[in-house]
Amino acid sequence: MRADEYIQLEDQYGAHNYKPLDVVLSRGSGVWVWDVDGNQYMDCLSAYSAVNQGHCHPRILSAMQTQAERLTLTSRAFRNDQLGLLYRELCDLTRSHKVLPMNSGAEAVETAIKAVRKWGYLVRGVPENKAEIIVCADNFHGRTITIISFSTDPTSTTDFGPFTPGFRVIPYGDAQALADAITDNTVAFLVEPIQGEAGVIIPPDGYLRKVRRICDDAGIALILDEIQTGLGRTGKLLAEEHEGIEADLTLIGKALSGGFYPVSAVLSNTEILGVLKPGEHGSTFGGNPLACAVARAALRVLVDEGLIGNAARMGDHFLSRLREIENPDIREVRGKGLLLAVEFHPEAGGARQYCERLRQAGLLCKETHHDIIRFAPPLVITRDQVDWAVDRAAPILSA
Ligand SMILES: *Cc1c(COP(=O)(O)O)cnc(C)c1O
């Protein structure tokens, strides 16, 4: 079948809740993907950072094949011989005490919300149904009703009400706003270390350290959503390490499977997850042996292949080369590790046109919001590949 025939099928039978670039991919390896016509592209999105380890990583593939032939799903009604091992390896790596496995990122966020609410009632003595969670403007934490209830993006919320109460929104990057918003009923602050979907918004230096102190002083839980920033993307295993802090709850997903399978987890450094008792929360697929085997391999690849340090080095190089591009329409080039963005002035006509032209040049990028292009290639990228990408992108981005 031709590309336009696949596109026509999607348009005819699928809900139109995405507006993808019209490239129909059929194969991937490392930083590269190929479309049905055999054209090769560098993937500069990495499925929103889910394929940090590169497409179809052979070690993760092999772990998946081996486990799929053995045992795929038991439900948590029974135990399996992969879950405990994933728990231990995750806790060792992240210095956490407890893990709760789910599937999608949104489910990890929902799990954290349930856990801190219950902790607030049982441990903090917040009156029944009064628990409040503070969140930030322009957040992205997923697509469920409860999560969009505290979104400030009208595209995410319009016509989807009624919404879940119990959330208070403050500006991002403003520690004083957090201190001012805390009440006796506040149980947690939920925040992204860098706002990925908002356009790679990096808070001021010291923000997370201040936030950590404020949460400690008030006795509320700090929940870091590292679903996009975690697992090496910013040049550290977790982005919290840039500021030398530890969250009470850390949410990871996406690259936890290297893109093979939906796997997410809530990591807890305190006893917050301990408030959940049998029967109170769960998921049919959460913690299944196939997911656990894949996640174990995906974590090993990140560490054994030095992908975290590579993300730091290649990110620095990518950023400095992007900053050499001269174009008065560019408002800012920013990034941490391999989570990079080029932001255009609002008058420049939008980032989509650039993404279309980058695609012609063999680079797959996606605009975020109207004016921002995110560059987030797999962490296996080499220096030559970074140069290849910028050599192709520079003439387009400077025109
Ligand atoms: C992608 C993402 C989510 C949601 O993950 P899904 O797997 O799409 O549900 C939540 N938080 C952040 C920061 C994300 O980038």
Side-chain angles (χ1 to χ4, degrees):
M1 270 181 14
R2 292 194 321 265
D4 61 314
E5 294 173 301
Y6 289 109
I7 292 166
Q8 197 272 330
L9 285 179
E10 288 190 18
D11 283 350
Q12 184 178 347
Y13 295 108
H16 292 185
N17 55 328
Y18 279 92
K19 186 170 175 276
L21 285 186
D22 281 334
V23 57
V24 182
L25 301 174
S26 57
R27 194 159 67 83
S29 176
V31 299
W32 305 108
V33 288
W34 288 266
D35 71 12
V36 290
D37 297 316
N39 298 308
Q40 180 175 345
Y41 305 91
M42 184 181 290
D43 181 356
C44 289
L45 183 65
S46 305
Y48 304 95
S49 296
V51 285
N52 284 359
Q53 296 86 340
H55 287 276
C56 297
H57 193 288
R59 287 176 63 194
I60 310 174
L61 174 63
S62 149
M64 185 167 192
Q65 285 171 331
T66 305
Q67 186 60 42
E69 287 170 10
R70 249 182 221 158
L71 184 66
T72 57
L73 183 60
T74 55
S75 85
R76 297 285 306 278
F78 310 122
R79 299 183 189 268
N80 72 69
D81 67 0
Q82 293 296 309
L83 182 60
L85 298 173
L86 174 64
Y87 282 171
R88 187 176 65 194
E89 288 160 17
L90 256 180
C91 285
D92 284 352
L93 199 58
T94 61
R95 288 175 302 158
S96 305
H97 303 154
K98 291 237 170 278
V99 183
L100 197 156
M102 296 294 280
N103 312 287
S104 68
E107 288 173 304
V109 176
E110 291 269 351
T111 301
I113 290 169
K114 288 173 74 174
V116 293
R117 280 181 170 184
K118 184 160 189 206
W119 172 78
Y121 299 130
L122 259 56
V123 179
R124 293 281 321 289
V126 171
E128 192 182 349
N129 291 333
K130 295 288 186 218
E132 268 179 13
I133 295 171
I134 299 173
V135 299
C136 286
D138 301 318
N139 69 72
F140 182 85
H141 298 288
R143 297 293 195 171
T144 64
I145 287 289
T146 286
I147 294 172
I148 64 164
S149 296
F150 52 85
S151 171
T152 59
D153 173 8
T155 314
S156 298
T157 58
T158 304
D159 295 330
F160 295 130
F163 298 114
T164 308
F167 300 95
R168 182 186 288 237
V169 181
I170 61 169
Y172 185 63
D174 181 346
Q176 189 56 44
L178 172 63
D180 295 343
I182 292 173
T183 70
D184 289 346
N185 293 336
T186 306
V187 296
F189 178 47
L190 166 62
V191 65
E192 299 155 83
I194 293 172
Q195 289 187 324
E197 294 314 296
V200 189
I201 309 299
I202 303 172
D205 275 348
Y207 175 62
L208 289 182
R209 268 197 305 279
K210 285 186 194 150
V211 157
R212 177 68 274 181
R213 203 173 314 127
I214 291 165
C215 289
D216 283 341
D217 290 348
I220 67 170
L222 173 59
I223 310 170
L224 285 185
D225 181 344
E226 297 241 24
I227 291 167
Q228 186 160 157
T229 55
L231 304 178
R233 174 53 59 187
T234 70
K236 301 276 189 193
L237 178 70
L238 296 173
E240 66 175 21
E241 294 168 34
H242 289 291
E243 299 230 337
I245 64 144
E246 283 183 23
D248 298 295
L249 292 169
T250 300
L251 314 180
I252 55 174
K254 293 199 166 117
L256 184 51
S257 72
F260 279 82
Y261 202 82
V263 189
S264 66
V266 178
L267 309 174
S268 164
N269 278 330
T270 65
E271 290 312 305
I272 295 172
L273 279 178
V275 301
L276 297 175
K277 296 287 178 275
E280 293 178 350
H281 186 64
S283 159
T284 302
F285 278 82
N288 75 71
L290 183 57
C292 292
V294 167
R296 294 178 63 209
L299 291 171
R300 275 198 300 272
V301 164
L302 278 180
V303 174
D304 292 354
E305 301 191 5
L307 298 186
I308 301 163
N310 193 59
R313 288 188 303 276
M314 293 307 116
D316 284 349
H317 182 54
F318 208 144
L319 184 63
S320 66
R321 290 235 34 215
L322 283 174
R323 283 190 167 145
E324 289 165 8
I325 296 171
E326 287 181 24
N327 180 350
D329 283 342
I330 292 179
R331 184 172 165 184
E332 192 183 32
V333 178
R334 57 177 175 265
K336 202 162 233 173
L338 281 169
L339 188 54
L340 304 155
V342 175
E343 177 166 0
F344 293 90
H345 286 290
E347 314 80 66
R352 177 81 181 199
Q353 44 164 344
Y354 289 103
C355 291
E356 299 282 1
R357 282 155 64 205
L358 288 168
R359 180 235 161 142
Q360 302 294 326
L363 291 168
L364 292 184
C365 301
K366 187 71 170 68
E367 77 278 8
T368 152
H369 291 262
H370 189 253
D371 303 310
I372 303 167
I373 308 178
R374 172 173 28 193
F375 287 92
L379 312 186
V380 295
I381 195 167
T382 65
R383 196 178 169 92
D384 285 348
Q385 289 168 337
V386 171
D387 288 329
W388 182 93
V390 183
D391 289 345
R392 267 162 187 74
I396 293 165
L397 298 181
S398 54

